Amino acid sequence: MMRTVAIGNRSRRESDDGGSRRGTLIGLLVAVVMLAVGLWLAHDLTAASKMQDCLMSGRTNCNVIEPAR
């Protein structure tokens, strides 16, 4: 059911089901943060795995070599 709420000299239609999108935006923000942390963690674990594979194969120089520009 919709009701009209007067704010100052303006009126605003507000739903009885919540009316505000604050909860939705907070949920979306939490999901984006969790996705970013997950991607960072996956990248970090992949790099650590590659380093561990290099060291376990008996190599002594496992540093990442960047190409010259």
Side-chain angles (χ1 to χ4, degrees):
M1 179 171 197
M2 298 292 283
R3 64 182 174 151
T4 303
V5 177
I7 301 174
N9 58 359
R10 297 181 295 168
S11 65
R12 178 176 147 202
R13 298 198 129 232
E14 187 176 87
S15 171
D16 289 341
D17 296 335
S20 174
R21 295 184 184 174
R22 182 178 296 172
T24 304
L25 291 175
I26 290 172
L28 181 62
L29 180 64
V30 168
V32 168
V33 168
M34 287 177 60
L35 178 66
V37 169
L39 290 173
W40 170 76
L41 185 59
H43 183 270
D44 199 43
L45 288 175
T46 302
S49 175
K50 287 180 181 180
M51 180 63 75
Q52 187 176 18
D53 288 345
C54 179
L55 292 171
M56 292 296 288
S57 68
R59 297 182 195 169
T60 57
N61 186 10
C62 296
N63 293 332
V64 177
I65 300 173
E66 303 232 0
R69 295 180 189 213

